[in-house]
Every structure is written in C-alpha cells, then in structure tokens.
Amino acid sequence: MEPKKLYRLEEGKMLCGVCAGIADYLSLDVTVIRLLALLATLCSSGIGLVFYLAAAIIMPLKPV
C-alpha cells in the first residue's frame, strides 16, 4: 500500500488548490476546510492567510 501524500489539486480549486488538497488528504468535504481556513484568517489577525500562502508555495501540484 502506497502512503498518502499531500498535494495541491487543480481539480476543484478556487485559488491555489490548497484547501482542495487538504480536504482530499483528510477525506473531508472541501467546504469544511475552506470554512476553517476562513475562520483562522478572521479570528487570528490574518495568520490563516499566512499559512495558506506558505502552503501554496510549499505544497507541490498533484502530478497528472
């Protein structure tokens, strides 16, 4: 069995595909992840946005 890997996804993305990739990795609905990211951004003076941008830079795109 091959271990799971975390990738940004082109399919179903809104901005960079970070939330779609995290949702796929955790087997959750992408809407839940997007709401959590929005909540983290609004409630913590924008730290959620910093983490999102860092993830967009660090996470590789899923190979086709």
Side-chain angles (χ1 to χ4, degrees):
M1 185 173 172
E2 190 175 316
K4 285 178 108 176
K5 294 186 179 180
L6 182 61
Y7 293 108
R8 289 186 295 131
L9 297 180
E10 286 287 322
E11 179 182 316
K13 75 175 189 174
M14 286 190 117
L15 294 176
C16 296
V18 172
C19 291
I22 292 171
D24 183 56
Y25 183 79
L26 297 175
S27 300
L28 293 173
D29 185 32
V30 69
T31 306
V32 173
I33 302 300
R34 288 179 180 145
L35 287 173
L36 289 173
L38 179 66
L39 210 70
T41 300
L42 294 177
C43 293
S44 61
S45 302
I47 196 73
L49 183 61
V50 172
F51 283 127
Y52 185 90
L53 292 174
I57 293 168
I58 295 169
M59 288 172 58
L61 277 173
K62 187 170 188 174
V64 177

